[in-house]
Amino acid sequence: MSKAVNQMTLLILLITTLSLTNAEAKELTFQVSPNPAGEKFHLSGLVGDARVVIYDMQGKIMFDRHINGNEKIYLSNFKEGLYFLEVSTNDGRMATKLLKK
């Protein structure tokens, strides 16, 4: 086989693999309320186990815990400011901004 045929076969295989992966992907959704948050916020819309990580603006991990379903997360040790909230489940990973007032 020529080099061009091998490259074309590899390209078709790669496109097929990517298409299957995208078709199998599930949407991860959750709600954070209230946001801006005071001493705590409620994480809802999750089903099953999830890992919750909160980063400060410098990328330092401020909170890292596994939860099961909906849960309240307390921010009493956090300074006022902007944080990034990342939630990971078997269905995927999603991040959002969290404002502590």
Side-chain angles (χ1 to χ4, degrees):
M1 272 191 204
S2 72
K3 186 176 179 181
V5 172
N6 284 339
Q7 287 176 342
M8 182 61 80
T9 304
L10 180 61
L11 179 60
I12 291 170
L13 179 61
L14 179 61
I15 291 171
T16 304
T17 303
L18 290 175
S19 297
L20 289 175
T21 303
N22 290 339
E24 295 171 356
K26 296 180 183 176
E27 186 176 338
L28 175 63
T29 59
F30 61 90
Q31 295 80 40
V32 177
S33 62
N35 192 7
E39 294 299 310
K40 65 184 174 190
F41 69 91
H42 189 249
L43 196 55
S44 60
L46 294 171
V47 177
D49 295 328
R51 179 179 179 211
V52 177
V53 182
I54 301 174
Y55 301 91
D56 68 10
M57 293 301 292
Q58 287 74 43
K60 179 181 173 188
I61 295 175
M62 304 297 294
F63 179 91
D64 187 353
R65 191 169 69 182
H66 288 271
I67 64 170
N68 190 353
N70 304 328
E71 193 164 319
K72 290 179 185 172
I73 297 177
Y74 292 87
L75 302 172
S76 55
N77 294 331
F78 286 58
K79 294 180 181 178
E80 290 184 3
L82 185 63
Y83 295 87
F84 293 102
L85 170 68
E86 180 182 73
V87 177
S88 303
T89 70
N90 289 337
D91 292 335
R93 182 173 62 190
M94 187 174 161
T96 189
K97 294 176 185 174
L98 174 67
L99 184 60
K100 165 70 161 77
K101 61 178 180 175

